Amino acid sequence: MNQPPTPTTGYTVRTLDRALAEARAADFLTVLRQFPEMKWTRDNLLVELPGKWEVSLVVCDEADTVCGYAVNSLRGDSLYIHLLVVAESQRGQGLGTQLLARALELAGERPGVRCLRLRATIDWTDTLKFYERVGFVVRDELPETRECVLELPVKGGGA
C-alpha cells in the first residue's frame, strides 16, 4: 500500500464491534445517507458475517462523532470490504486511507489471509481512482453488474 497520509489530529480508528454498531446504528446510517445509491439498512449493518466484529472499523473525531467506517469480514483468503464510507464533510483528510491501513494490518495478523478484496461499481470513477492510488488492482471485471473486483496484497499474507 502506498504510504498513508499522516492521520489528522483528533481522529481515532478503532474496531467496530456489534455492541457499538447496535448502539450507534443511526449514526452509521446517517453517514451513509449522504450516498443515496447505497441502500444499506440497519439490518445490513448488523448482519452476522465470519469475523465481521473483529475486522470492521470505525473512525471518530474527538467528539466521538462517526466520521467513517469499514464493514469487513473474513472470506476465504481475503479480508473482504463490504462497505467503506467517509462522511463527505470529512473527505480529503486521509480517513479512508487510515481505515484501509488498519484493515491491512488486521489482515496481516490472520493466517491464510493474503489480500484485501472488494467489489466496486465501474461508474464510480473517483472511488476506483482512490483504491488504485492506495495500491489496489483490478482482478476481475463483472460486466453484467457493472462492477469490478479489486485486491490489495497483504505483505507476508497467506502464511
Side-chain angles (χ1 to χ4, degrees), residues 5-120:
T6 303
T8 305
T9 303
Y11 292 90
T12 304
V13 175
R14 64 182 189 256
T15 302
L16 171 56
D17 61 24
R18 184 172 183 86
L20 179 61
E22 286 178 339
R24 309 259 325 256
D27 296 337
F28 291 102
L29 295 175
T30 295
V31 171
L32 194 57
R33 276 192 210 104
Q34 298 171 33
F35 308 96
E37 67 278 6
M38 304 299 294
K39 305 296 183 199
W40 275 47
T41 66
R42 186 176 197 280
D43 289 341
N44 294 114
L45 178 66
L46 298 176
V47 70
E48 291 294 332
L49 297 167
K52 177 179 180 177
W53 305 116
E54 291 81 42
V55 297
S56 291
L57 302 163
V58 58
V59 60
C60 295
D61 64 14
E62 290 176 332
D64 203 33
T65 303
V66 174
C67 299
Y69 55 98
V71 177
N72 308 319
S73 69
L74 299 172
R75 186 185 282 185
D77 66 350
S78 69
L79 186 151
Y80 191 87
I81 301 169
H82 298 274
L83 177 67
L84 186 142
V85 62
V86 173
E88 280 188 306
S89 63
Q90 304 294 326
R91 289 187 170 188
Q93 299 185 57
L95 302 181
T97 304
Q98 293 302 312
L99 287 166
L100 287 174
R102 181 65 184 129
L104 200 58
E105 290 172 8
L106 290 171
E109 296 169 3
R110 279 145 180 86
V113 174
R114 66 169 194 80
C115 67
L116 300 183
R117 185 176 295 135
L118 60 92
R119 286 169 66 158

